[in-house]
Amino acid sequence: MRTYSDEEITAFGLNPNRIPNHVAIVMDGNGRWATGRGLPRGAGHRAGVQALKDIIRFTSDIGVESLTLYAFSTENRKRPKEEIGILCGLLIEYFNREIDELHSNGVRILSIGDLNWFPTAVQQTVREAEARTAKNPGLKLNIALNYGGRAELLRAMRLADEEAKKTGAEPDEAMLARHLYTADSGDVDLLIRTGGEERVSNFLLWQIAYAELYFTDVKWPDFTRDELIKALQDYAGRERRFGGLKTDGTK
Ligand code: IPE
Ligand code: IPE
Ligand code: MG
């Protein structure tokens, strides 16, 4: 829920008229953050979870409508069991610790991806957080868990096909978009990837069709509010044409 006034947003060096509606983040670099410090990878994931709080709070306070976070991809299932176990434990710990505050800030939590793959304790924790916050009016916080863009598209195609058969309507882009996990959040305006890699890694393939892309070498545990402000400033300077021509009258 937006809590800052235009003046306060301007004081952060941001343009209140150029705040993206939907921000998506590939939170990458936890492992390298840890190994670079001689720590086990799990310590990087723990530090990564700590970075979440400030980023979620700030996006909510400046009035971003949707924040979609890549926490675990379908491909991440290839990782060692031990690392997956650590991530599951951190996820439960995170929700137990933060859910009250998220709820009181009006955040609406939605997991995207196939949650059924996770241990029951993870499913329960996440489902509870979703149910408790389902009617909240503030930031839509989508957390990608066992998420893959291709799997999401396949699922949406199947659901759209069912709808088409039932209603006789011709499937179109709008129909498919209605069956994406993120239907309520719409297209991504700004996609941020931390950790230095410049790739999409199967994230939100449909929704990023016209997203502005922002890559930074900063590893996720070091991605502070100031780093987010840099990304938002960069975004505010982009000219989005959506295939059309400049609209400000200049050549
Ligand atoms: C991202 O950090 C978090 C997850 C994929 C769960 P990584 O674990 O991929 O960190 P790096 O890329 O190995 O540094
Ligand atoms: C993308 O990071 C997935 C998440 C951040 C959850 P990865 O570390 O899994 O991506 P690749 O393997 O470098 O493409
Ligand atoms: Mg990685």
Side-chain angles (χ1 to χ4, degrees), residues 2 10 12 35 50 79 107 131 136 146 151 185 193 204 219 222 247:
R2 180 167 162 179
T10 308
F12 286 113
T35 51
Q50 260 143 28
R79 297 209 178 177
V107 173
N136 283 350
N146 188 24
S185 294
R193 182 169 184 146
L204 304 175
K219 296 175 184 70
D222 292 329
T247 49

Side-chain angles (χ1 to χ4, degrees), residues 26 70 191 193 197-205 208 213 215:
V26 181
Y70 209 3
L191 175 71
R193 182 169 184 146
E197 312 290 358
E198 302 193 351
R199 57 179 170 248
V200 170
S201 301
N202 201 14
F203 194 36
L204 304 175
L205 298 179
I208 62 170
L213 308 180
F215 297 105

Side-chain angles (χ1 to χ4, degrees), residues 27-33 41 45 71-72 76 79 83 87:
M27 308 183 290
D28 195 22
N30 292 349
R32 282 163 286 156
W33 182 93
R41 292 178 56 84
H45 294 312
F72 193 86
N76 290 150
R79 297 209 178 177
E83 182 167 340
L87 287 166

Side-chain angles (χ1 to χ4, degrees), residues 154-227:
L154 193 60
R155 175 181 173 274
M157 275 167 57
R158 289 200 177 113
L159 292 169
D161 189 52
E162 270 171 37
E163 183 187 335
K165 281 189 182 126
K166 239 183 255 160
T167 62
E170 192 65 29
D172 58 8
E173 291 186 10
M175 190 194 282
L176 198 135
R178 277 202 303 280
H179 292 293
L180 297 172
Y181 291 119
T182 56
D184 284 351
S185 294
D187 284 345
V188 171
D189 296 301
L190 170 63
L191 175 71
I192 298 171
R193 182 169 184 146
T194 64
E197 312 290 358
E198 302 193 351
R199 57 179 170 248
V200 170
S201 301
N202 201 14
F203 194 36
L204 304 175
L205 298 179
W206 176 284
Q207 299 89 330
I208 62 170
Y210 267 99
E212 298 298 327
L213 308 180
Y214 180 87
F215 297 105
T216 170
D217 287 337
V218 173
K219 296 175 184 70
W220 174 252
D222 292 329
F223 194 77
T224 55
R225 177 207 276 207
D226 286 343
E227 294 297 333

